[in-house]
Amino acid sequence: MSAAEVRESKDTKDAKDAKGLQITIMGRNFRVACKESEQAGLLEAVDYLNRRMEEIRDQGKIVGLERIAIMAALNITHEFLGAKVGGDFDMAGFKRRMAGMEAVIDKAMAEQTQLF
């Protein structure tokens, strides 16, 4: 069984663009709303979180799902904050700006009926 099990919800009345996803982390099931375009990223995050939590559990030093989740959150946050490269360069901010530029380019390309 995969760490992240996906089942699309048939009931999408509550959110126009979002679909319900069933995810499993450390054997516990959760239902989350997620836009279809963001599902792959969410599933990648679920798998990453699940691996990190299992690593902490397997070390045997921390007991209890809540404590394991808090330690995983602290470790992941530390990694994220450490991703800042030199001085004021923020990698996460850079990625957000690149994604924004990509969206603008995609929109402009979609408006073109003929390129040549």
Side-chain angles (χ1 to χ4, degrees), residues 84-95:
K84 291 185 177 183
V85 180
D88 293 331
F89 187 77
D90 179 7
M91 183 61 80
F94 176 74
K95 286 181 179 181

Side-chain angles (χ1 to χ4, degrees), residues 5 7 11 23 29 38 47 50 60 67 73 91 94 100 113 115:
E5 294 180 13
R7 278 188 269 155
D11 183 16
I23 61 171
N29 294 322
E38 297 175 352
D47 285 334
N50 199 53
R67 289 179 184 220
M91 183 61 80
F94 176 74
T113 55
L115 294 177

Side-chain angles (χ1 to χ4, degrees), residues 68-116:
I68 291 170
I70 290 170
M71 288 306 298
L74 285 171
N75 290 339
I76 292 167
T77 302
H78 178 72
E79 289 173 6
F80 174 76
L81 293 174
K84 291 185 177 183
V85 180
D88 293 331
F89 187 77
D90 179 7
M91 183 61 80
F94 176 74
K95 286 181 179 181
R96 284 190 300 273
R97 289 181 62 201
M98 290 299 293
M101 285 189 254
E102 217 176 300
V104 170
I105 291 169
D106 287 344
K107 182 180 177 192
M109 295 297 291
E111 294 172 357
Q112 297 289 323
T113 55
Q114 283 188 333
L115 294 177
F116 302 98

Side-chain angles (χ1 to χ4, degrees), residues 8 12 14 17 20 24 37 47 49 57 66 68 76 81-82 90 101 114:
E8 288 190 25
T12 56
D14 296 340
D17 223 7
T24 303
S37 63
D47 285 334
L49 176 60
R57 179 200 62 204
E66 186 175 306
I68 291 170
I76 292 167
L81 293 174
D90 179 7
M101 285 189 254
Q114 283 188 333

Side-chain angles (χ1 to χ4, degrees), residues 10-65:
K10 294 179 183 176
D11 183 16
T12 56
K13 296 177 195 172
D14 296 340
K16 271 195 232 175
D17 223 7
K19 293 189 177 193
L21 291 179
Q22 183 77 25
I23 61 171
T24 303
I25 299 173
M26 296 281 295
R28 294 188 62 188
N29 294 322
F30 301 92
R31 178 165 299 286
V32 295
C34 180
K35 292 181 182 179
E36 194 168 332
S37 63
E38 297 175 352
Q39 287 181 3
L42 175 65
L43 294 174
E44 186 177 346
V46 167
D47 285 334
Y48 184 77
L49 176 60
N50 199 53
R51 280 193 316 271
R52 295 301 305 268
M53 289 179 69
E54 287 173 348
E55 288 171 6
I56 292 168
R57 179 200 62 204
D58 292 347
Q59 290 174 357
K61 296 177 183 178
I62 299 173
V63 179
L65 188 60

